[in-house]
Amino acid sequence: MEPLEAARIDVPGAEVRVMQRCASTNSVLLAESGGGCVLLAAEAQTAGRGQRGRRWHGVPGNDLAFSLARHIARPARELAALSLVAGAAAAGALRGLGVAAASLKWPNDLVVPGGKLGGILVETRAEGRGARAVIGIGINCFHCPGLARRLRRPVAALDQFIDPSRNLVVGALARALVAALERFEAEGFAAARSEWQGLDAHAGQRLRVRLPDGRTLSGIGGGIAEDGALRLLTRGGEKSVRSGRIVSAGPA
């Protein structure tokens, strides 16, 4: 197993730290006060979290988990788009590493045709004239027998496509995130929207989306709106879904 080493994670302008174990890299960075850009990677998380309060099922040595914290000077109403900005940056970086099939399942799951590669959790805390944004990313690096059966869904790993160096992967993803956050701060979400749509795994497919109240909505995926909502073309017209989960996708 290649250990994570701060000296081998190249992210210019960021303070890079590695912990052997922590509850959650997001939680550690959220609890800290301002400052510059900070990257924290951990070999193991005892309470890793995913979207909607789900547990992140990481396997020490087989995956990578890190968080990047940075102050963002944008209005609070715009911060919901950060998860889409981060998703587009991460998927683009994975393609740059050789994972040509990397794409996005709305809002920000990292997927390939064989299953889910990883996930992203964005959390913010009001801080001065803006917010402290913490973007957590978890990626399956090496295939773990039995994980798909345990999670009851298809999963994928980077070693199906490349020979992954975890330090190099963290560095590439973090550099892409830093650049994306700088552009978001300067230009807002519009700069990343077209990138996200170019990475959409389900554009033009028939989708079934589970809403927070348990109802489901079906229609054809039409990309994302200017505010990041999923555009769903239903029999009753276009619907915008701002919170929910795609539970199935198939040919239109």
Side-chain angles (χ1 to χ4, degrees), residues 43-162:
E43 289 287 5
Q45 295 185 110
T46 58
R49 292 171 288 128
Q51 290 290 337
R52 292 173 289 277
R54 293 190 181 90
R55 179 185 173 194
W56 168 254
H57 295 267
V59 180
N62 273 40
D63 70 352
L64 63 85
F66 74 93
S67 296
L68 184 84
R70 185 186 186 279
H71 182 83
I72 301 291
R74 296 293 297 189
R77 66 180 181 276
E78 297 183 17
L79 298 180
L82 277 172
S83 63
L84 297 156
V85 171
L94 289 174
R95 288 192 175 192
L97 289 169
V99 188
S103 56
L104 292 164
K105 175 184 175 182
W106 182 85
N108 57 6
D109 277 351
L110 299 163
V111 298
V112 292
K116 182 175 176 178
L117 264 180
I120 298 171
L121 176 65
V122 176
E123 298 178 284
T124 60
R125 188 192 71 212
E127 182 182 77
R129 298 181 63 182
R132 182 174 178 82
V134 178
I135 296 100
I137 296 184
I139 303 281
N140 303 318
C141 282
F142 300 97
H143 175 66
C144 180
L147 182 61
R149 183 175 63 254
R150 180 155 58 93
L151 298 182
R152 298 181 181 178
R153 58 173 170 79
V155 295
L158 290 183
D159 66 348
Q160 296 173 241
F161 308 94
I162 60 174

Side-chain angles (χ1 to χ4, degrees), residues 6-245:
R8 296 183 59 198
I9 300 174
D10 180 24
V11 189
E15 176 193 349
V16 179
R17 308 197 314 247
V18 171
M19 298 180 70
Q20 288 301 304
R21 181 179 296 270
C22 66
S24 156
T25 54
N26 262 35
S27 296
V28 171
L29 292 186
L30 271 174
E32 296 180 356
S33 56
C37 182
V38 181
L39 183 149
L40 175 64
E43 289 287 5
Q45 295 185 110
T46 58
R49 292 171 288 128
Q51 290 290 337
R52 292 173 289 277
R54 293 190 181 90
R55 179 185 173 194
W56 168 254
H57 295 267
V59 180
N62 273 40
D63 70 352
L64 63 85
F66 74 93
S67 296
L68 184 84
R70 185 186 186 279
H71 182 83
I72 301 291
R74 296 293 297 189
R77 66 180 181 276
E78 297 183 17
L79 298 180
L82 277 172
S83 63
L84 297 156
V85 171
L94 289 174
R95 288 192 175 192
L97 289 169
V99 188
S103 56
L104 292 164
K105 175 184 175 182
W106 182 85
N108 57 6
D109 277 351
L110 299 163
V111 298
V112 292
K116 182 175 176 178
L117 264 180
I120 298 171
L121 176 65
V122 176
E123 298 178 284
T124 60
R125 188 192 71 212
E127 182 182 77
R129 298 181 63 182
R132 182 174 178 82
V134 178
I135 296 100
I137 296 184
I139 303 281
N140 303 318
C141 282
F142 300 97
H143 175 66
C144 180
L147 182 61
R149 183 175 63 254
R150 180 155 58 93
L151 298 182
R152 298 181 181 178
R153 58 173 170 79
V155 295
L158 290 183
D159 66 348
Q160 296 173 241
F161 308 94
I162 60 174
D163 182 13
S165 158
R166 293 192 304 155
N167 291 294
L168 291 179
V169 171
V170 172
L173 290 169
R175 290 192 299 274
L177 276 177
V178 169
L181 292 175
E182 289 175 350
R183 189 164 60 163
F184 174 74
E185 187 170 53
E187 304 175 29
F189 176 55
R193 183 185 173 207
S194 61
E195 290 182 13
W196 196 100
Q197 299 202 118
L199 294 160
D200 187 355
H202 299 310
Q205 294 186 0
R206 180 166 295 280
L207 308 178
R208 187 162 64 92
V209 180
R210 189 175 306 282
L211 304 177
D213 62 6
R215 294 182 298 123
T216 59
L217 191 62
S218 298
I220 306 300
I224 55 176
E226 292 183 359
D227 63 354
L230 175 68
R231 297 174 62 235
L232 206 59
L233 311 178
T234 74
R235 292 180 179 178
E238 182 176 316
K239 307 290 185 183
S240 292
V241 180
R242 290 175 176 80
S243 180
R245 180 168 62 96

